[in-house]
Amino acid sequence: MELVEVKEGLARILVPKAKRIYDAPIFYNPVMSLNRDISVLSVKVLKPKRVLDALSATGIRGIRYALETPAEEIWLNDIKEEAYGLMKKNASLNIEGELWEEGDRSYLWGEKIVVINRGDANRLMAENFRYFNFLDLDPFGSPVEFLDTALRSVRRNGVLAVTATDTGVLCGAYRNACLRKYLAEPIRGPLCHEAGLRILIGTVVRYAAKYDLGAEVLLAYHRDHYFRVFLRLKSGAKKADRSLSQLGYLWADKSGRFEYERGFLPSRPGASGPLWLGPLKDKSFAERLLESAKDHPLAHKKTVPFLQLISEELDVPFHYDTHTLARSCSLTPPKLETVIQRLRELGYRATKTHFSPTSVKTDAPFRVVVGVMKNVQAD
Ligand code: SAH
């Protein structure tokens, strides 16, 4: 395996040389450096003591946690033998300390404790019951096969971070897979990404509820080909009940109109869900991330603008796609800024959304948004 060195954040790591990222024997995707930036900033802001990077591949994520955050004990894990070898190499290249090995596990003792493990993530998490303050699941595809053990391995009041790259499944391109994996009906069309993200959160909330854990969303977003969610887990049946009460259903039609409703079961046919209808961020957490991003050695130049967009985004369920609305009313799509401005003049709240460059998030009803669009056209 030929290796090349790449720089990301404060880390320098060796990755397999490959023409296409999916051909490499050990996975490294530079596009995900924004995902890792935001994760590193989260760990920096939250200051968890023990962190697990359960699906490490090259080790980049866990190594960045060790180098760029105050975490004291960092675990890296992968099931692949080759990945285990590379994680050890990369950890020793970046982190000072003495390495000693014990079967499928190595320890790097220095200022911090870094544990490098080869094994099934589910087994490792099951063996470490309520141990980690911050647990990161960043798999290929769906995280569902790791959720149960992750929820048992994270400490009460700890944070679970989850990536899902099975966007086609959560967005309704593969409906049956969504029913199987997430027990939820997806939706296609302009709301598919927000609905997919909310289906993912809804699934974690339902898995957590059986352990009497409630979940608070610190941050959830969609970008590129993936979804990412940071959840604070709160102990107690009442907390779990409260989280479940934020689940519900969505109805949307071709004109861009939508309705949603909280409830355990849908009140009528044609619903998408169940999905999370609660907040997608804790505003102060998002602002702290943005603040700490400004003086951090970030890997991706879009991290700060993206965090800025997310912290300013109005946190209400779903959004109106101005192009869809324009099409159904036979209008030329107006400038998004103008629509936002007009809605604000009418006393509504309105912002851009990271889900789509042509959409508006607003608390104005559908008919008002359509009215505004028609007025802009008439001017
Ligand atoms: N988090 C990494 C990318 C991980 S890719 C990053 O930020 O770069 C997913 C990894 O999960 C692969 O290396 C694969 O070998 C590993 N994997 C798949 N199933 C696993 C399992 N059951 N237990 C542990 N690792 C697993």
Side-chain angles (χ1 to χ4, degrees), residues 131-146:
Y131 188 77
F132 295 103
N133 306 92
F134 184 99
L135 197 159
D136 197 332
L137 288 180
D138 182 66
F140 297 133
S142 172
V144 287
E145 66 186 276
F146 303 108

mmCIF file of all heavy atoms in Angstrom, residues 131-146:
data_model
loop_
_atom_site.group_PDB
_atom_site.id
_atom_site.type_symbol
_atom_site.label_atom_id
_atom_site.label_comp_id
_atom_site.label_asym_id
_atom_site.label_seq_id
_atom_site.Cartn_x
_atom_site.Cartn_y
_atom_site.Cartn_z
ATOM 1 N N TYR A 131 -19.369 4.844 29.321
ATOM 2 C CA TYR A 131 -17.981 5.224 29.558
ATOM 3 C C TYR A 131 -17.603 6.543 28.899
ATOM 4 O O TYR A 131 -16.891 7.364 29.487
ATOM 5 C CB TYR A 131 -17.068 4.107 29.035
ATOM 6 C CG TYR A 131 -15.623 4.292 29.381
ATOM 7 C CD1 TYR A 131 -15.153 4.005 30.666
ATOM 8 C CD2 TYR A 131 -14.719 4.781 28.430
ATOM 9 C CE1 TYR A 131 -13.819 4.189 30.985
ATOM 10 C CE2 TYR A 131 -13.385 4.970 28.749
ATOM 11 C CZ TYR A 131 -12.941 4.674 30.029
ATOM 12 O OH TYR A 131 -11.630 4.862 30.349
ATOM 13 N N PHE A 132 -18.080 6.774 27.679
ATOM 14 C CA PHE A 132 -17.580 7.916 26.907
ATOM 15 C C PHE A 132 -18.450 9.170 27.101
ATOM 16 O O PHE A 132 -19.661 9.105 27.121
ATOM 17 C CB PHE A 132 -17.501 7.558 25.418
ATOM 18 C CG PHE A 132 -16.500 6.473 25.153
ATOM 19 C CD1 PHE A 132 -16.913 5.167 24.911
ATOM 20 C CD2 PHE A 132 -15.142 6.744 25.203
ATOM 21 C CE1 PHE A 132 -15.987 4.154 24.704
ATOM 22 C CE2 PHE A 132 -14.207 5.739 25.000
ATOM 23 C CZ PHE A 132 -14.627 4.434 24.757
ATOM 24 N N ASN A 133 -17.770 10.308 27.208
ATOM 25 C CA ASN A 133 -18.493 11.584 27.318
ATOM 26 C C ASN A 133 -18.890 12.111 25.947
ATOM 27 O O ASN A 133 -19.797 12.923 25.824
ATOM 28 C CB ASN A 133 -17.634 12.643 28.016
ATOM 29 C CG ASN A 133 -17.115 12.177 29.340
ATOM 30 O OD1 ASN A 133 -16.034 11.628 29.440
ATOM 31 N ND2 ASN A 133 -17.910 12.357 30.375
ATOM 32 N N PHE A 134 -18.148 11.664 24.928
ATOM 33 C CA PHE A 134 -18.452 12.090 23.555
ATOM 34 C C PHE A 134 -18.168 10.896 22.667
ATOM 35 O O PHE A 134 -17.060 10.369 22.660
ATOM 36 C CB PHE A 134 -17.568 13.282 23.168
ATOM 37 C CG PHE A 134 -17.868 13.872 21.807
ATOM 38 C CD1 PHE A 134 -18.659 15.019 21.680
ATOM 39 C CD2 PHE A 134 -17.344 13.297 20.649
ATOM 40 C CE1 PHE A 134 -18.928 15.564 20.426
ATOM 41 C CE2 PHE A 134 -17.610 13.839 19.399
ATOM 42 C CZ PHE A 134 -18.407 14.986 19.285
ATOM 43 N N LEU A 135 -19.193 10.473 21.959
ATOM 44 C CA LEU A 135 -19.038 9.268 21.140
ATOM 45 C C LEU A 135 -19.377 9.612 19.695
ATOM 46 O O LEU A 135 -20.466 10.099 19.408
ATOM 47 C CB LEU A 135 -19.959 8.177 21.694
ATOM 48 C CG LEU A 135 -19.680 6.744 21.248
ATOM 49 C CD1 LEU A 135 -20.290 5.755 22.227
ATOM 50 C CD2 LEU A 135 -20.153 6.460 19.847
ATOM 51 N N ASP A 136 -18.418 9.350 18.809
ATOM 52 C CA ASP A 136 -18.583 9.739 17.402
ATOM 53 C C ASP A 136 -18.764 8.506 16.518
ATOM 54 O O ASP A 136 -17.910 7.628 16.487
ATOM 55 C CB ASP A 136 -17.322 10.512 16.964
ATOM 56 C CG ASP A 136 -17.556 11.296 15.688
ATOM 57 O OD1 ASP A 136 -18.405 10.887 14.877
ATOM 58 O OD2 ASP A 136 -16.879 12.333 15.503
ATOM 59 N N LEU A 137 -19.887 8.471 15.823
ATOM 60 C CA LEU A 137 -20.156 7.411 14.844
ATOM 61 C C LEU A 137 -20.095 8.023 13.465
ATOM 62 O O LEU A 137 -20.959 8.822 13.103
ATOM 63 C CB LEU A 137 -21.570 6.852 15.035
ATOM 64 C CG LEU A 137 -21.871 5.974 16.234
ATOM 65 C CD1 LEU A 137 -23.343 5.554 16.197
ATOM 66 C CD2 LEU A 137 -20.963 4.746 16.261
ATOM 67 N N ASP A 138 -19.058 7.679 12.732
ATOM 68 C CA ASP A 138 -18.901 8.258 11.392
ATOM 69 C C ASP A 138 -18.642 7.126 10.389
ATOM 70 O O ASP A 138 -17.512 6.920 9.953
ATOM 71 C CB ASP A 138 -17.742 9.265 11.415
ATOM 72 C CG ASP A 138 -17.546 9.937 10.070
ATOM 73 O OD1 ASP A 138 -18.430 10.678 9.646
ATOM 74 O OD2 ASP A 138 -16.506 9.678 9.427
ATOM 75 N N PRO A 139 -19.691 6.393 10.074
ATOM 76 C CA PRO A 139 -19.534 5.206 9.218
ATOM 77 C C PRO A 139 -19.669 5.523 7.730
ATOM 78 O O PRO A 139 -19.934 6.657 7.350
ATOM 79 C CB PRO A 139 -20.714 4.337 9.655
ATOM 80 C CG PRO A 139 -21.789 5.333 9.996
ATOM 81 C CD PRO A 139 -21.093 6.592 10.475
ATOM 82 N N PHE A 140 -19.514 4.495 6.910
ATOM 83 C CA PHE A 140 -20.018 4.565 5.528
ATOM 84 C C PHE A 140 -21.500 4.273 5.650
ATOM 85 O O PHE A 140 -21.866 3.331 6.340
ATOM 86 C CB PHE A 140 -19.519 3.386 4.683
ATOM 87 C CG PHE A 140 -18.069 3.264 4.467
ATOM 88 C CD1 PHE A 140 -17.438 2.035 4.641
ATOM 89 C CD2 PHE A 140 -17.316 4.340 4.034
ATOM 90 C CE1 PHE A 140 -16.091 1.879 4.401
ATOM 91 C CE2 PHE A 140 -15.969 4.182 3.784
ATOM 92 C CZ PHE A 140 -15.364 2.962 3.975
ATOM 93 N N GLY A 141 -22.312 4.979 4.930
ATOM 94 C CA GLY A 141 -23.724 4.604 4.882
ATOM 95 C C GLY A 141 -24.459 4.927 6.173
ATOM 96 O O GLY A 141 -24.207 5.943 6.806
ATOM 97 N N SER A 142 -25.321 4.002 6.560
ATOM 98 C CA SER A 142 -26.214 4.259 7.690
ATOM 99 C C SER A 142 -25.565 3.934 9.034
ATOM 100 O O SER A 142 -24.884 2.914 9.165
ATOM 101 C CB SER A 142 -27.471 3.406 7.531
ATOM 102 O OG SER A 142 -28.245 3.503 8.698
ATOM 103 N N PRO A 143 -25.821 4.761 10.053
ATOM 104 C CA PRO A 143 -25.279 4.470 11.390
ATOM 105 C C PRO A 143 -26.178 3.545 12.213
ATOM 106 O O PRO A 143 -25.833 3.202 13.331
ATOM 107 C CB PRO A 143 -25.242 5.864 12.030
ATOM 108 C CG PRO A 143 -26.426 6.572 11.431
ATOM 109 C CD PRO A 143 -26.548 6.050 10.015
ATOM 110 N N VAL A 144 -27.324 3.134 11.669
ATOM 111 C CA VAL A 144 -28.311 2.451 12.532
ATOM 112 C C VAL A 144 -27.788 1.187 13.210
ATOM 113 O O VAL A 144 -28.180 0.897 14.333
ATOM 114 C CB VAL A 144 -29.654 2.120 11.809
ATOM 115 C CG1 VAL A 144 -30.458 3.382 11.584
ATOM 116 C CG2 VAL A 144 -29.440 1.357 10.529
ATOM 117 N N GLU A 145 -26.882 0.466 12.520
ATOM 118 C CA GLU A 145 -26.426 -0.788 13.137
ATOM 119 C C GLU A 145 -25.551 -0.553 14.371
ATOM 120 O O GLU A 145 -25.212 -1.486 15.082
ATOM 121 C CB GLU A 145 -25.689 -1.661 12.118
ATOM 122 C CG GLU A 145 -24.406 -1.055 11.641
ATOM 123 C CD GLU A 145 -23.743 -1.873 10.522
ATOM 124 O OE1 GLU A 145 -23.035 -2.829 10.854
ATOM 125 O OE2 GLU A 145 -23.944 -1.535 9.344
ATOM 126 N N PHE A 146 -25.163 0.698 14.609
ATOM 127 C CA PHE A 146 -24.316 0.995 15.769
ATOM 128 C C PHE A 146 -25.062 1.762 16.875
ATOM 129 O O PHE A 146 -24.503 2.042 17.926
ATOM 130 C CB PHE A 146 -23.100 1.835 15.339
ATOM 131 C CG PHE A 146 -22.271 1.172 14.274
ATOM 132 C CD1 PHE A 146 -22.266 1.645 12.973
ATOM 133 C CD2 PHE A 146 -21.501 0.051 14.577
ATOM 134 C CE1 PHE A 146 -21.497 1.032 11.987
ATOM 135 C CE2 PHE A 146 -20.722 -0.574 13.597
ATOM 136 C CZ PHE A 146 -20.732 -0.089 12.298
#
